[in-house]
Amino acid sequence: MPRRDEFADLVCELLSPMGEVRARRMFGGYGVYCDGVMMALIADEVLYLRTDERTRTAYEAEGLPPFRPFPDKPMTMPYHRPPDSVLDDGEDMLAWARPALEAALRAQAAKKPKKRRAATAGDN
């Protein structure tokens, strides 16, 4: 069984006061979930927290970059790198992570519900 990534374990430990936090392998990195909601990701040993129109300006004001899945392309995703200090201070981490979870919950609520297939005579 492969050894878990120590950085992912540290992030989960720092976020644990928020609820059940788990890191799941994803595309060579990790998706970080709090109570089943993906609120962060880890790529190349760098943490990125979920952002949206309400939270993005705080990151931009600090000059904190968005996640670029392909460094040579301009595409970004709605995750930003928090200040480095969050890894040294649990309270600082939570101050940045709570709005990230709220952004993730808003994004989840905004998704359209999947359409259910209409029942046919043979379905029960």
Side-chain angles (χ1 to χ4, degrees), residues 55-65 80 96:
T55 60
R56 190 175 306 113
T57 56
Y59 292 83
E60 291 171 345
E62 297 285 329
L64 300 165
H80 278 71
W96 286 88

Side-chain angles (χ1 to χ4, degrees), residues 6-99:
E6 291 178 15
F7 184 74
D9 290 342
L10 171 64
V11 168
C12 290
E13 182 180 328
L14 289 169
L15 294 174
S16 67
M18 294 178 57
E20 183 182 339
V21 179
R22 296 179 187 256
R24 297 183 191 155
R25 283 296 238 164
M26 181 178 95
F27 305 111
Y30 290 91
V32 180
Y33 295 78
C34 180
D35 296 330
V37 177
M38 186 171 159
M39 52 142 330
L41 61 87
I42 297 171
D44 297 321
E45 300 294 313
V46 177
L47 174 66
Y48 295 89
L49 297 173
R50 177 79 163 145
T51 57
D52 64 9
E53 66 282 342
R54 293 187 195 177
T55 60
R56 190 175 306 113
T57 56
Y59 292 83
E60 291 171 345
E62 297 285 329
L64 300 165
F67 175 63
R68 293 185 186 282
F70 307 104
D72 58 334
K73 297 184 180 177
M75 179 187 143
T76 62
M77 293 180 67
Y79 295 86
H80 278 71
R81 186 176 183 161
D84 291 337
S85 63
V86 302
L87 299 173
D88 299 322
D89 182 343
E91 289 303 315
D92 198 22
M93 170 67 90
L94 295 175
W96 286 88
R98 285 186 180 110

